[in-house]
Amino acid sequence: MKSSINLPLVGIARRDGADGVAYRTVTPVPIDVVSGLVRESWCSRIAVTDASSDGQWPAEFRAMCVYESQPFVLTGLIGRRSN
């Protein structure tokens, strides 16, 4: 797998972990973009975790994806809504 990949909607993601089957987004992905991933043919099974009330843990998403015939897990931080 490539060390980084440019994905529609979310932008650049870098390989995460030694096993090479996961990517993590470089920048936080706006919440409306995360919800839009459900409609993308290359992305499925999206799970979202809430941020902690004290802000210690940010909200994150995890999705099962197949892009350019490569299956992988995509994870990333969830940011504020895009304008």
Side-chain angles (χ1 to χ4, degrees):
M1 292 187 80
K2 300 175 186 175
S3 61
S4 65
I5 188 169
N6 191 359
L7 297 168
L9 297 179
V10 299
I12 302 291
R14 292 205 169 91
R15 195 167 62 199
D16 187 31
D19 57 5
V21 295
Y23 285 98
R24 176 171 282 281
T25 59
V26 174
T27 58
V29 178
I31 185 67
D32 50 320
V33 173
V34 172
S35 64
L37 289 175
V38 195
R39 293 182 286 281
E40 295 296 311
S41 61
W42 56 271
C43 192
S44 64
R45 296 185 192 175
I46 298 171
V48 174
T49 58
D50 286 341
S52 62
S53 60
D54 62 3
Q56 187 174 359
W57 296 287
E60 286 193 321
F61 72 93
R62 179 176 298 244
M64 300 296 294
C65 303
V66 178
Y67 188 73
E68 295 179 349
S69 302
Q70 290 290 334
F72 58 92
V73 174
L74 177 65
T75 60
L77 297 177
I78 300 175
R80 297 191 183 274
R81 253 183 211 286
S82 59
N83 294 330

Coordinates of all heavy atoms in Angstrom, one line a residue:
M1 N 0.8 -1.2 0.0 CA 0.0 0.0 0.0 C 0.9 1.2 0.0 O 2.0 1.2 0.5 CB -0.9 0.0 1.2 CG -1.9 -1.1 1.2 SD -3.1 -0.9 2.6 CE -4.2 0.3 1.9
K2 N 0.3 2.3 -0.5 CA 1.1 3.6 -0.6 C 1.2 4.2 0.8 O 0.4 3.9 1.7 CB 0.3 4.6 -1.4 CG 0.1 4.1 -2.9 CD -0.8 5.1 -3.6 CE -1.2 4.6 -4.9 NZ -2.1 5.5 -5.6
S3 N 2.2 5.0 1.0 CA 2.4 5.6 2.3 C 1.4 6.7 2.6 O 1.0 7.0 3.7 CB 3.8 6.2 2.4 OG 4.0 7.2 1.5
S4 N 0.8 7.3 1.5 CA -0.3 8.3 1.6 C -1.2 8.1 0.4 O -0.8 7.6 -0.6 CB 0.2 9.7 1.8 OG 0.9 10.1 0.6
I5 N -2.4 8.6 0.6 CA -3.4 8.5 -0.5 C -4.2 9.8 -0.5 O -4.5 10.3 0.6 CB -4.2 7.2 -0.3 CG1 -5.1 7.0 -1.5 CG2 -5.0 7.2 1.0 CD1 -5.8 5.6 -1.5
N6 N -4.7 10.2 -1.6 CA -5.5 11.4 -1.7 C -6.9 10.9 -2.0 O -7.2 10.4 -3.1 CB -5.0 12.4 -2.8 CG -5.7 13.7 -2.8 OD1 -6.6 13.9 -2.0 ND2 -5.4 14.6 -3.7
L7 N -7.8 11.0 -1.1 CA -9.2 10.5 -1.2 C -10.2 11.6 -1.5 O -10.0 12.7 -1.0 CB -9.6 9.8 0.1 CG -8.7 8.6 0.5 CD1 -9.0 8.2 1.9 CD2 -9.0 7.5 -0.4
P8 N -11.2 11.3 -2.3 CA -12.3 12.3 -2.5 C -12.9 12.7 -1.2 O -13.0 11.9 -0.2 CB -13.3 11.5 -3.3 CG -12.6 10.4 -3.9 CD -11.5 10.0 -2.9
L9 N -13.3 13.9 -1.0 CA -13.9 14.5 0.1 C -13.0 14.8 1.3 O -13.0 15.8 1.9 CB -15.1 13.7 0.6 CG -16.3 13.6 -0.3 CD1 -17.4 12.7 0.4 CD2 -16.9 14.9 -0.6
V10 N -12.2 13.8 1.7 CA -11.4 13.9 2.9 C -10.0 14.4 2.7 O -9.3 14.8 3.6 CB -11.4 12.6 3.7 CG1 -12.8 12.2 4.1 CG2 -10.7 11.5 3.0
G11 N -9.4 14.3 1.5 CA -8.1 14.8 1.2 C -7.0 13.7 1.5 O -7.3 12.5 1.3
I12 N -5.9 14.2 1.9 CA -4.7 13.3 2.2 C -4.9 12.5 3.4 O -5.3 13.0 4.5 CB -3.4 14.1 2.3 CG1 -3.2 15.0 1.0 CG2 -2.2 13.2 2.6 CD1 -2.8 14.2 -0.2
A13 N -4.6 11.2 3.3 CA -4.6 10.3 4.4 C -3.3 9.5 4.4 O -2.8 9.2 3.3 CB -5.8 9.3 4.4
R14 N -2.7 9.3 5.5 CA -1.4 8.6 5.6 C -1.6 7.2 6.2 O -2.4 7.0 7.1 CB -0.4 9.4 6.5 CG 0.0 10.7 5.8 CD 1.4 11.2 6.3 NE 1.8 12.2 5.4 CZ 1.6 13.5 5.6 NH1 0.9 13.9 6.7 NH2 2.1 14.4 4.8
R15 N -0.7 6.3 5.8 CA -0.8 4.9 6.3 C -0.6 5.0 7.8 O 0.2 5.7 8.3 CB 0.3 4.1 5.7 CG 0.0 2.6 5.9 CD 0.8 1.7 5.0 NE 2.2 1.9 5.3 CZ 3.2 1.5 4.5 NH1 2.9 1.0 3.4 NH2 4.4 1.7 4.8
D16 N -1.4 4.2 8.5 CA -1.5 4.2 10.0 C -1.2 2.8 10.5 O -2.0 1.9 10.2 CB -2.8 4.7 10.5 CG -2.9 4.9 12.0 OD1 -1.8 5.2 12.5 OD2 -4.0 4.7 12.5
G17 N -0.1 2.6 11.1 CA 0.2 1.3 11.6 C 1.2 0.5 10.7 O 1.3 0.7 9.5
A18 N 1.8 -0.5 11.3 CA 2.8 -1.3 10.5 C 2.1 -2.3 9.6 O 2.7 -2.8 8.7 CB 3.7 -2.0 11.5
D19 N 0.8 -2.7 9.9 CA 0.2 -3.7 9.1 C -0.2 -3.2 7.7 O -0.4 -4.0 6.8 CB -1.0 -4.3 9.8 CG -2.0 -3.2 10.2 OD1 -1.9 -2.1 9.8 OD2 -3.0 -3.6 10.8
G20 N -0.3 -1.9 7.5 CA -0.5 -1.3 6.2 C -1.9 -1.5 5.7 O -2.1 -1.3 4.5
V21 N -2.9 -1.7 6.5 CA -4.3 -1.8 6.0 C -5.1 -0.7 6.6 O -6.3 -0.8 6.5 CB -4.9 -3.2 6.4 CG1 -4.2 -4.3 5.7 CG2 -4.9 -3.4 7.9
A22 N -4.5 0.4 7.1 CA -5.3 1.5 7.6 C -4.6 2.8 7.2 O -3.4 2.9 7.1 CB -5.4 1.4 9.2
Y23 N -5.5 3.8 7.0 CA -5.0 5.2 6.8 C -5.7 6.1 7.8 O -6.8 5.8 8.2 CB -5.4 5.6 5.4 CG -4.6 5.0 4.3 CD1 -5.1 3.9 3.6 CD2 -3.4 5.6 3.9 CE1 -4.3 3.4 2.5 CE2 -2.6 5.0 2.9 CZ -3.1 3.9 2.2 OH -2.3 3.4 1.2
R24 N -5.0 7.2 8.1 CA -5.5 8.2 9.0 C -5.5 9.5 8.3 O -4.5 9.9 7.7 CB -4.7 8.3 10.3 CG -5.2 9.4 11.2 CD -4.5 9.3 12.6 NE -5.1 8.3 13.4 CZ -6.3 8.5 14.1 NH1 -6.9 9.6 14.0 NH2 -6.7 7.5 14.9
T25 N -6.6 10.3 8.4 CA -6.6 11.6 7.7 C -5.5 12.5 8.3 O -5.3 12.4 9.6 CB -8.0 12.3 7.8 OG1 -8.4 12.4 9.1 CG2 -9.0 11.4 7.0
V26 N -5.0 13.4 7.5 CA -3.9 14.3 8.0 C -4.6 15.5 8.8 O -4.0 15.9 9.9 CB -3.1 14.9 6.8 CG1 -2.1 16.0 7.3 CG2 -2.4 13.7 6.1
T27 N -5.7 16.0 8.4 CA -6.4 17.1 9.0 C -7.8 16.6 9.5 O -8.3 15.7 8.9 CB -6.5 18.3 8.1 OG1 -7.2 17.9 6.9 CG2 -5.2 18.8 7.7
P28 N -8.4 17.2 10.5 CA -9.7 16.9 10.9 C -10.7 17.0 9.7 O -10.6 18.0 8.9 CB -10.1 17.9 12.0 CG -8.7 18.3 12.5 CD -7.8 18.3 11.4
V29 N -11.7 16.1 9.6 CA -12.6 16.2 8.6 C -13.9 16.8 9.1 O -14.4 16.3 10.2 CB -12.9 14.7 8.1 CG1 -14.0 14.7 7.0 CG2 -11.6 14.1 7.6
P30 N -14.5 17.8 8.4 CA -15.7 18.4 8.9 C -16.8 17.4 9.1 O -17.0 16.4 8.3 CB -16.1 19.4 7.8 CG -14.8 19.7 7.2 CD -14.0 18.4 7.2
I31 N -17.7 17.6 10.1 CA -18.7 16.6 10.4 C -19.7 16.4 9.2 O -20.1 15.3 9.0 CB -19.5 17.1 11.7 CG1 -20.6 16.0 12.1 CG2 -20.2 18.4 11.5 CD1 -20.0 14.7 12.6
D32 N -20.0 17.4 8.5 CA -20.9 17.3 7.3 C -20.2 16.4 6.2 O -20.9 15.7 5.5 CB -21.4 18.6 6.8 CG -20.3 19.6 6.5 OD1 -19.4 19.7 7.3 OD2 -20.4 20.3 5.5
V33 N -18.9 16.5 6.1 CA -18.2 15.6 5.2 C -18.2 14.2 5.6 O -18.4 13.3 4.8 CB -16.8 16.2 4.9 CG1 -16.0 15.2 4.1 CG2 -16.8 17.5 4.3
V34 N -18.0 14.0 6.9 CA -18.0 12.6 7.5 C -19.4 12.0 7.2 O -19.5 10.8 6.7 CB -17.7 12.6 9.0 CG1 -18.0 11.2 9.6 CG2 -16.3 13.1 9.2
S35 N -20.5 12.7 7.4 CA -21.8 12.2 7.2 C -22.0 11.9 5.7 O -22.7 11.0 5.3 CB -22.9 13.1 7.8 OG -22.9 14.3 7.1
G36 N -21.4 12.7 4.8 CA -21.5 12.5 3.4 C -20.7 11.2 2.9 O -21.0 10.7 1.8
L37 N -19.8 10.7 3.7 CA -19.1 9.5 3.3 C -20.0 8.3 3.1 O -19.7 7.4 2.3 CB -18.0 9.1 4.3 CG -16.8 10.1 4.4 CD1 -15.9 9.6 5.6 CD2 -16.0 10.0 3.1
V38 N -21.2 8.3 3.8 CA -22.1 7.2 3.6 C -22.6 7.1 2.2 O -22.9 6.0 1.8 CB -23.3 7.4 4.6 CG1 -24.1 6.2 4.7 CG2 -22.9 8.0 5.9
R39 N -22.7 8.2 1.5 CA -23.2 8.2 0.1 C -22.1 7.8 -0.9 O -22.4 7.7 -2.1 CB -23.8 9.5 -0.2 CG -25.1 9.7 0.6 CD -25.8 11.1 0.2 NE -25.1 12.2 0.8 CZ -25.2 12.7 2.0 NH1 -25.9 12.0 2.9 NH2 -24.5 13.7 2.4
E40 N -20.9 7.7 -0.5 CA -19.8 7.4 -1.4 C -19.7 5.9 -1.6 O -19.8 5.1 -0.7 CB -18.4 7.9 -0.8 CG -18.4 9.4 -0.7 CD -18.4 10.1 -2.1 OE1 -17.7 9.7 -3.0 OE2 -19.2 11.0 -2.2
S41 N -19.5 5.5 -2.9 CA -19.5 4.1 -3.2 C -18.3 3.4 -2.7 O -18.3 2.2 -2.5 CB -19.6 3.9 -4.8 OG -18.5 4.5 -5.4
W42 N -17.2 4.1 -2.4 CA -16.0 3.5 -2.0 C -15.9 3.4 -0.5 O -14.9 2.9 0.1 CB -14.8 4.3 -2.5 CG -14.8 5.8 -2.2 CD1 -15.3 6.7 -2.9 CD2 -14.2 6.4 -1.0 NE1 -15.2 8.0 -2.3 CE2 -14.4 7.7 -1.1 CE3 -13.5 5.9 0.0 CZ2 -14.0 8.6 -0.2 CZ3 -13.0 6.8 1.0 CH2 -13.3 8.2 0.9
C43 N -16.9 3.9 0.2 CA -16.8 3.9 1.7 C -18.1 3.3 2.3 O -19.2 3.5 1.8 CB -16.7 5.4 2.1 SG -16.3 5.6 3.8
S44 N -17.9 2.5 3.4 CA -19.0 1.9 4.0 C -18.8 1.7 5.5 O -17.6 1.9 6.0 CB -19.4 0.5 3.4 OG -18.3 -0.4 3.5
R45 N -19.8 1.2 6.2 CA -19.6 0.9 7.7 C -18.9 2.0 8.4 O -17.8 1.8 9.0 CB -18.9 -0.4 7.8 CG -19.7 -1.6 7.3 CD -19.0 -2.8 7.6 NE -19.5 -3.9 6.9 CZ -19.0 -5.1 6.9 NH1 -18.0 -5.4 7.6 NH2 -19.6 -6.1 6.2
I46 N -19.5 3.1 8.5 CA -18.9 4.3 9.2 C -19.4 4.2 10.7 O -20.6 4.1 11.0 CB -19.3 5.6 8.6 CG1 -18.8 5.6 7.2 CG2 -18.8 6.8 9.4 CD1 -19.3 6.8 6.4
A47 N -18.4 4.4 11.6 CA -18.7 4.5 13.0 C -18.1 5.8 13.5 O -17.0 6.2 13.1 CB -18.0 3.3 13.8
V48 N -18.8 6.4 14.5 CA -18.4 7.7 15.0 C -18.3 7.6 16.5 O -19.2 7.0 17.1 CB -19.3 8.8 14.6 CG1 -19.0 10.1 15.3 CG2 -19.3 9.0 13.1
T49 N -17.2 8.1 17.1 CA -17.2 8.2 18.6 C -17.3 9.6 19.0 O -16.7 10.5 18.4 CB -15.8 7.6 19.1 OG1 -14.7 8.3 18.5 CG2 -15.7 6.1 18.8
D50 N -18.0 9.9 20.1 CA -18.2 11.2 20.6 C -16.9 11.7 21.3 O -16.1 10.9 21.8 CB -19.3 11.3 21.6 CG -20.7 11.2 21.0 OD1 -20.8 11.4 19.8 OD2 -21.6 10.8 21.7
A51 N -16.8 13.0 21.3 CA -15.7 13.6 22.1 C -16.1 13.6 23.5 O -17.2 13.5 23.9 CB -15.5 15.1 21.6
S52 N -15.0 13.6 24.4 CA -15.3 13.6 25.8 C -15.7 15.0 26.2 O -15.4 16.0 25.6 CB -14.1 13.2 26.6 OG -13.0 14.1 26.4
S53 N -16.5 15.1 27.2 CA -17.1 16.4 27.6 C -16.0 17.4 28.1 O -16.1 18.6 28.0 CB -18.1 16.2 28.8 OG -17.5 15.6 29.9
D54 N -14.9 16.8 28.6 CA -13.8 17.7 29.0 C -12.8 18.0 27.9 O -11.8 18.7 28.1 CB -13.0 17.1 30.2 CG -12.4 15.8 29.9 OD1 -12.4 15.3 28.7 OD2 -11.8 15.1 30.8
G55 N -13.1 17.5 26.7 CA -12.2 17.8 25.6 C -10.9 17.0 25.5 O -10.1 17.2 24.6
Q56 N -10.8 16.1 26.4 CA -9.5 15.3 26.4 C -9.4 14.4 25.2 O -8.4 14.2 24.7 CB -9.5 14.5 27.7 CG -8.1 13.7 27.9 CD -8.0 13.1 29.3 OE1 -9.0 13.1 30.1 NE2 -6.9 12.4 29.5
W57 N -10.6 13.8 24.8 CA -10.6 13.0 23.6 C -11.5 13.6 22.5 O -12.7 13.8 22.8 CB -11.1 11.6 23.9 CG -10.3 10.8 24.9 CD1 -9.0 10.3 24.6 CD2 -10.5 10.6 26.2 NE1 -8.5 9.7 25.7 CE2 -9.4 9.8 26.8 CE3 -11.6 10.9 27.1 CZ2 -9.4 9.4 28.1 CZ3 -11.5 10.4 28.4 CH2 -10.4 9.7 28.9
P58 N -11.0 13.9 21.4 CA -11.8 14.4 20.3 C -12.7 13.4 19.7 O -12.4 12.2 19.8 CB -10.7 15.0 19.3 CG -9.5 14.1 19.6 CD -9.6 13.7 21.0
A59 N -13.7 13.8 19.0 CA -14.5 12.9 18.2 C -13.7 12.3 17.0 O -12.9 13.0 16.4 CB -15.8 13.7 17.7
E60 N -14.0 11.1 16.7 CA -13.3 10.4 15.6 C -14.3 9.6 14.8 O -15.4 9.3 15.3 CB -12.2 9.4 16.2 CG -11.0 10.1 16.7 CD -9.9 9.1 16.9 OE1 -10.1 7.9 17.3 OE2 -8.7 9.4 16.6
F61 N -13.9 9.3 13.6 CA -14.7 8.4 12.8 C -13.8 7.2 12.3 O -12.6 7.3 12.3 CB -15.3 9.1 11.6 CG -14.3 9.5 10.5 CD1 -14.1 8.7 9.4 CD2 -13.6 10.7 10.6 CE1 -13.2 9.0 8.4 CE2 -12.7 11.0 9.6 CZ -12.5 10.2 8.5
R62 N -14.4 6.1 11.9 CA -13.7 5.0 11.4 C -14.6 4.4 10.3 O -15.8 4.3 10.5 CB -13.5 3.9 12.5 CG -12.8 2.7 12.0 CD -12.6 1.8 13.2 NE -11.7 2.5 14.1 CZ -10.4 2.1 14.4 NH1 -10.0 0.9 13.9 NH2 -9.7 2.7 15.2
A63 N -14.1 4.1 9.1 CA -14.9 3.6 8.0 C -14.1 2.5 7.3 O -12.9 2.5 7.2 CB -15.2 4.8 7.0
M64 N -14.9 1.6 6.8 CA -14.3 0.5 5.9 C -14.4 1.0 4.5 O -15.5 1.5 4.1 CB -15.2 -0.8 6.1 CG -15.2 -1.3 7.5 SD -13.6 -1.9 8.1 CE -13.3 -3.2 7.0
C65 N -13.3 1.0 3.8 CA -13.2 1.6 2.5 C -12.6 0.6 1.5 O -11.8 -0.2 1.8 CB -12.5 2.9 2.5 SG -13.1 4.1 3.6
V66 N -12.9 0.8 0.2 CA -12.2 0.2 -0.9 C -12.1 1.2 -2.0 O -13.0 1.7 -2.5 CB -13.0 -1.0 -1.5 CG1 -12.2 -1.6 -2.7 CG2 -13.2 -2.1 -0.4
Y67 N -10.8 1.6 -2.2 CA -10.5 2.7 -3.2 C -9.4 2.2 -4.1 O -8.4 1.7 -3.6 CB -10.1 4.0 -2.4 CG -10.0 5.2 -3.3 CD1 -11.1 5.8 -3.8 CD2 -8.8 5.7 -3.6 CE1 -11.0 6.9 -4.6 CE2 -8.6 6.8 -4.4 CZ -9.8 7.4 -5.0 OH -9.7 8.5 -5.8
E68 N -9.6 2.4 -5.4 CA -8.7 1.9 -6.4 C -8.3 0.4 -6.1 O -7.2 0.0 -6.1 CB -7.4 2.8 -6.4 CG -7.7 4.2 -6.9 CD -6.5 5.1 -6.9 OE1 -5.4 4.7 -6.3 OE2 -6.6 6.2 -7.4
S69 N -9.3 -0.4 -5.8 CA -9.2 -1.8 -5.6 C -8.5 -2.2 -4.3 O -8.1 -3.4 -4.1 CB -8.6 -2.5 -6.8 OG -9.4 -2.3 -7.9
Q70 N -8.2 -1.3 -3.4 CA -7.5 -1.5 -2.2 C -8.4 -1.4 -1.0 O -8.9 -0.3 -0.7 CB -6.3 -0.5 -2.0 CG -5.2 -0.7 -3.0 CD -4.4 -2.0 -2.7 OE1 -4.4 -2.5 -1.5 NE2 -3.8 -2.6 -3.7
P71 N -8.7 -2.4 -0.3 CA -9.5 -2.3 1.0 C -8.6 -1.8 2.1 O -7.4 -2.1 2.3 CB -9.9 -3.8 1.2 CG -8.9 -4.6 0.6 CD -8.3 -3.8 -0.6
F72 N -9.2 -0.9 2.9 CA -8.5 -0.4 4.1 C -9.5 0.2 5.1 O -10.7 0.4 4.7 CB -7.5 0.7 3.7 CG -8.1 1.8 2.9 CD1 -8.5 3.0 3.6 CD2 -8.2 1.8 1.5 CE1 -9.0 4.0 2.9 CE2 -8.7 2.8 0.8 CZ -9.1 4.0 1.5
V73 N -9.0 0.5 6.3 CA -9.8 1.2 7.3 C -9.4 2.6 7.3 O -8.1 2.9 7.3 CB -9.6 0.6 8.7 CG1 -10.3 1.4 9.7 CG2 -10.1 -0.9 8.7
L74 N -10.3 3.6 7.2 CA -10.0 5.0 7.3 C -10.4 5.6 8.6 O -11.5 5.4 9.0 CB -10.7 5.7 6.1 CG -10.5 7.3 6.1 CD1 -9.0 7.6 5.8 CD2 -11.4 7.9 5.1
T75 N -9.5 6.2 9.3 CA -9.8 6.9 10.6 C -9.4 8.3 10.5 O -8.6 8.7 9.7 CB -9.1 6.2 11.8 OG1 -7.7 6.3 11.6 CG2 -9.6 4.8 11.9
G76 N -10.0 9.1 11.4 CA -9.7 10.5 11.5 C -10.4 11.3 12.5 O -11.4 10.8 13.0
L77 N -9.9 12.4 12.8 CA -10.6 13.3 13.8 C -11.8 14.0 13.0 O -11.7 14.3 11.8 CB -9.7 14.4 14.3 CG -8.5 13.9 15.1 CD1 -7.6 15.0 15.5 CD2 -9.0 13.1 16.3
I78 N -12.8 14.3 13.8 CA -14.0 15.1 13.2 C -13.8 16.5 13.6 O -13.7 16.8 14.8 CB -15.3 14.5 13.7 CG1 -15.4 13.0 13.3 CG2 -16.5 15.3 13.2 CD1 -16.6 12.3 13.8
G79 N -13.9 17.4 12.7 CA -13.8 18.8 12.9 C -15.2 19.5 12.8 O -16.2 18.9 12.7
R80 N -15.1 20.8 12.9 CA -16.4 21.6 12.8 C -16.9 21.5 11.4 O -16.2 21.2 10.4 CB -16.1 23.0 13.2 CG -15.6 23.2 14.6 CD -15.7 24.7 15.0 NE -15.2 24.9 16.3 CZ -15.9 24.8 17.4 NH1 -17.2 24.5 17.3 NH2 -15.4 25.0 18.6
R81 N -18.2 21.9 11.3 CA -18.9 22.0 10.0 C -18.1 22.8 9.0 O -17.6 23.8 9.4 CB -20.3 22.6 10.1 CG -21.3 21.6 10.0 CD -22.7 22.3 10.1 NE -23.6 21.4 10.7 CZ -24.1 20.3 10.1 NH1 -23.8 20.1 8.9 NH2 -24.8 19.5 10.8
S82 N -18.1 22.4 7.7 CA -17.5 23.3 6.7 C -18.5 24.4 6.3 O -19.7 24.2 6.5 CB -17.1 22.5 5.5 OG -18.2 21.8 4.9
N83 N -18.0 25.5 5.7 CA -18.9 26.6 5.4 C -19.5 26.4 4.1 O -19.1 25.8 3.2 CB -18.1 27.9 5.4 CG -17.6 28.2 6.8 OD1 -18.3 27.9 7.8 ND2 -16.5 28.9 6.9

